Amino acid sequence: MVTRHAYRKWVPLLGAAVALGLTACAGSSGTTSSSHASGPVPDPKKPVTITFASWVGSDPTMLALRTEFQKEHPNITVKFENIPSDSMSQKLTTQIAGGNPPDAAFVDASSVASFSTRGALVNLDDYIARDKVVKPADYVQAFKTFVTYKGSMYGLPIDGESTGLFYRTDMFKAAGITAPPKTWDELQADAQKLTDPAKKQYGYALFAPEAAYYWYPYLWQAGGQVLSKDGTKVEFDSAAGEKAADFYVGLKRYAPPDYLNSNSWDGRVAFEHNQVAMYMAGSWFAGTISQEAPKITGKWNVAPLPCGPNGCATTVASDALVAFSGSPNKDAAYKWIEFLSKPANMARWTYESPGGTELPTIYSLLNSSGFKSNTSKPYMEGFAQQMKYGVANIQANKNWPQMETALSDQLGKAIYGNLSPKQALDGAAQKASSILQQ
């Protein structure tokens, strides 16, 4: 997955920089070039070239899809604009502020809310109503949440993943553990059994720089929420939030200290080298481990996240296709992202591709015999089953990235031992509440 897609990690957007840059585009040339038209979206009568910003332009599957699209639509040429995943939001912000955005883009779906709140993206509702490919009801709700703002879709989820618990079966066997943990109590007990500092072996991986993202499932499993339903009040500092933070931060007793300041990508080597037995990650991790660490093939597996006192929950992540309101070629841009969203093409891009470990984002594919019979990646079915517990952590609020940054910073300090879990939540809530009122 690393060679194809960015690994799933907690990445805050640009906060004030995004707000400053996108405000300039709010008055751009409308949302569609054929707003409220009827009938199928037409091909251009004259040749046009559209730009497609992404970090997947060199992927063989994407290149093949472009070739097929251009054969079907000879008047549309798709020019790939390659941008590293970790600088995509910053690059797009700069382009939008300068009045030269791409026509379409492949983005982390978590960025759609921030861009759409400021008028940078095309509202796709009219287009969707006119075609027979995109069916909003077919999208998994958690993935659809990422791209929805005020009831309208501003992006098309193209791939996604849920978060599971990877575990070393060989280390479990050596510790006398016969099955992965199913509850918080079992997780803690297993992590303790698997921890032996003298051997530099630990039970569970924690990463302070990504603390918020990997804490969310515990918050939801304890019955807590990030914000109130109307989005006007911070709620992660509730009693449920404190319970979740106490448990989550407490797992540092069983986490390799050398990796606390790392992230889930760099920290993967601890799992590969027998230094940590349990690792929370998305399905990207399966592809990475399979490719990078063949020596532990057959020595690891993946299970659903253990459930908490209020039930089961897991984080989900997604990539999405968007078109930009500043584009002069909105119809052509939509034809391209519509083509990529065809079920057959989505299947090729996700589970059918040799290195793909992402889930398709529509129920019709997740329930298809082709997906369920994919014997080369049997672990994918488990990730799909977890989608019923999937929750999107992104909030449709222009200031959400700053709030999440505050939460992650404070929880990170608790992991380092500089704050108690309650102090961390109280401090984050105070900062987030102030930001929320801006």
Side-chain angles (χ1 to χ4, degrees), residues 225-238 395 397 400 403 428-430 432-437:
Q225 296 296 328
V226 180
L227 299 180
S228 59
K229 289 184 179 180
D230 61 6
T232 63
K233 182 181 178 183
V234 171
E235 291 195 349
F236 58 70
D237 59 337
S238 63
Q395 308 292 319
N397 183 294
W400 170 243
M403 291 186 278
Q430 183 177 3
S433 295
S434 177
I435 294 168
L436 191 60
Q437 304 308 315

Side-chain angles (χ1 to χ4, degrees), residues 238-255:
S238 63
E242 290 182 22
K243 180 183 293 186
D246 283 341
F247 181 79
Y248 176 69
V249 172
L251 291 173
K252 71 177 182 179
R253 298 191 297 270
Y254 317 114

Side-chain angles (χ1 to χ4, degrees), residues 39 61 70 75 137 152 156 163 200 246 322:
T61 303
Q70 292 178 158
N75 274 350
S152 294
L156 304 178
T163 301
K200 292 188 176 181
D246 283 341
V322 298

Side-chain angles (χ1 to χ4, degrees), residues 335-418:
K335 297 291 284 188
W336 167 237
I337 65 175
E338 174 197 48
F339 173 82
L340 294 177
S341 300
K342 289 181 178 180
N345 293 337
M346 186 186 291
R348 287 173 61 186
W349 177 246
T350 55
Y351 61 91
E352 288 182 357
S353 64
T357 57
E358 301 91 349
L359 296 168
T361 58
I362 53 179
Y363 290 111
S364 55
L365 283 180
L366 289 170
N367 295 327
S368 68
S369 58
F371 177 79
K372 293 182 177 181
S373 62
N374 191 341
T375 56
S376 65
K377 303 168 188 172
Y379 50 80
M380 294 295 290
E381 176 65 15
F383 284 108
Q385 291 174 355
Q386 286 195 99
M387 286 311 306
K388 61 186 175 182
Y389 303 123
V391 183
N393 65 289
I394 301 301
Q395 308 292 319
N397 183 294
K398 67 182 187 296
N399 296 320
W400 170 243
Q402 299 172 65
M403 291 186 278
E404 188 172 53
T405 296
L407 176 57
S408 201
D409 287 347
Q410 294 295 300
L411 284 174
K413 290 179 181 179
I415 290 173
Y416 293 137
N418 298 325

Side-chain angles (χ1 to χ4, degrees), residues 96-180:
I96 293 165
N100 62 334
D103 298 291
F106 178 107
V107 300
D108 189 310
S110 65
S111 68
V112 173
S114 185
F115 284 126
S116 63
T117 60
R118 297 177 175 89
L121 303 180
V122 174
N123 183 326
L124 300 177
D125 287 355
D126 287 339
Y127 281 125
I128 292 171
R130 295 164 59 192
D131 77 31
K132 296 182 179 180
V133 173
V134 178
K135 300 178 180 178
D138 197 22
Y139 283 103
V140 174
Q141 184 58 43
F143 293 141
K144 187 179 174 184
T145 298
F146 282 112
V147 301
T148 301
Y149 176 62
K150 291 188 175 179
S152 294
M153 290 183 68
Y154 285 82
L156 304 178
I158 184 64
D159 59 41
E161 66 180 13
S162 58
T163 301
L165 184 72
F166 289 82
Y167 64 102
R168 289 288 302 265
T169 53
D170 55 342
M171 295 172 71
F172 268 52
K173 183 177 180 180
I177 304 171
T178 58

